[in-house]
Amino acid sequence: MSARRRTPARRSPSRRSPSRRTPSRRRGRQQGQSWAVLAVGALFALWVVGRLLDWVAANRWVVLLVLLLAVAGGVLWFRYRADRLRREQEWARTLRYAVEQLDRLHHRAFEHAVRDLMFRDGCTDAVQVGGAGDHGADVKATDPYGRRWVIQCKHRKAGSAGAPVGTPDLHVLNGTGRPVHHGDVVVLVTNGRFSRPALEFARSQRLHLVDRATLSAWAGGGRPLWELLRAVPPPRSPGPSPSPSPNPSSNPSSSPSPTPLT
């Protein structure tokens, strides 16, 4: 019995599915529409600009009036800001804190008090920056002699009876005060006290410490902090001319609790 010979089945010529060409055509159509919209928008914008220029040419007095109003508004705003700064500086010059007042503050309010004292001393850019991600700085300020101050605050509710500030806090400040915050004077302020290792570490790393006694003299008197600290870096600029300081004999404990500057 002879084997039947199978003929291979013919394959019908492949046809491209029209669905494969549809996205490219649709994409081309969309791009053409986008270019048309952009062209219409550009022509309309040119028309508006041309009409506006024609109107300005015919009404030049309006342009002059707007310019005069803008200049007058800028002058008034500048005078308002200068007057506000002057009133804040006058208020700050009378600022006094008794150290017992500082003991009763919340730790965040303590940072604001340190900022206000720096502002009192002439650091007009003093700002409180303490919080999450502060990298060891709670207050930053530039003194009238151009030195950049980076201050970390450690508040103790129990004052000098609380736990002393130790070297771990100084390690953080020492690692960020100059490399990160670019401080010329790096300070740690507390209403408490420092441990002996902290004092030795600060001396070796040129860190400045403000303990309870120094804080009391600074907050309750009229002398700026750089006059109370030792071995402060030299001034970067000549600084302001000396002015008469407030009466140092005023009683700090009788002064009201100031509102932090805004």
Side-chain angles (χ1 to χ4, degrees):
M1 209 174 158
S2 60
R4 292 185 180 182
R5 201 170 172 185
R6 296 181 180 180
T7 57
R10 289 185 178 181
R11 295 182 179 179
S12 58
S14 61
R15 296 180 181 179
R16 291 183 179 179
S17 174
S19 61
R20 293 183 180 179
R21 290 182 292 179
T22 301
S24 60
R25 288 181 180 178
R26 189 179 303 161
R27 204 178 301 119
R29 237 183 272 121
Q30 290 176 351
Q31 290 178 352
Q33 292 175 354
S34 300
W35 281 109
V37 170
L38 289 175
V40 172
L43 290 175
F44 179 74
L46 290 174
W47 178 80
V48 171
V49 170
R51 294 300 299 270
L52 182 61
L53 291 176
D54 293 339
W55 184 86
V56 169
N59 301 273
R60 295 181 180 179
W61 64 272
V62 177
V63 179
L64 293 176
L65 180 61
V66 171
L67 290 175
L68 288 175
L69 290 175
V71 171
V75 171
L76 290 176
W77 174 250
F78 177 79
R79 292 185 63 181
Y80 165 76
R81 292 289 299 174
D83 183 64
R84 181 179 175 183
L85 180 61
R86 179 184 58 78
R87 285 187 278 109
E88 288 178 349
Q89 289 175 338
E90 289 177 354
W91 169 85
R93 277 194 290 268
T94 64
L95 179 63
R96 299 291 185 274
Y97 284 109
V99 72
E100 292 78 14
Q101 285 179 283
L102 299 176
D103 292 339
R104 294 191 292 267
L105 295 179
H106 183 267
H107 71 89
R108 194 68 71 209
F110 180 67
E111 296 172 5
H112 282 97
V114 171
R115 177 205 61 183
D116 292 348
L117 290 170
M118 294 298 292
F119 185 85
R120 179 200 70 182
D121 293 346
C123 305
T124 56
D125 66 342
V127 61
Q128 185 271 338
V129 295
D134 58 20
H135 300 293
D138 295 319
V139 176
K140 292 182 181 180
T142 306
D143 66 23
Y145 302 96
R147 293 170 297 207
R148 186 66 173 163
W149 291 66
V150 177
I151 303 174
Q152 187 180 77
C153 303
K154 290 299 176 183
H155 185 262
R156 295 291 187 260
K157 290 183 178 180
S160 58
V165 178
T167 53
D169 296 313
L170 293 179
H171 289 161
V172 175
L173 181 62
N174 188 49
T176 60
R178 295 183 181 91
V180 177
H181 301 293
H182 309 291
D184 299 310
V185 190
V186 183
V187 186
L188 197 149
V189 177
T190 182
N191 63 323
R193 55 196 174 93
F194 294 96
S195 66
R196 185 175 296 276
L199 294 172
E200 296 174 354
F201 180 80
R203 193 178 300 111
S204 66
Q205 300 299 316
R206 296 183 296 113
L207 302 177
H208 298 274
L209 303 182
V210 177
D211 59 7
R212 186 177 182 85
T214 307
L215 177 62
S216 178
W218 178 38
R223 298 176 62 190
L225 185 56
W226 47 87
E227 292 184 4
L228 301 174
L229 298 178
R230 296 180 180 178
V232 174
R236 288 179 174 267
S237 59
S241 58
S243 58
S245 59
N247 183 11
S249 62
S250 58
N251 184 10
S253 61
S254 62
S255 61
S257 179
T259 304
L261 298 175
T262 56

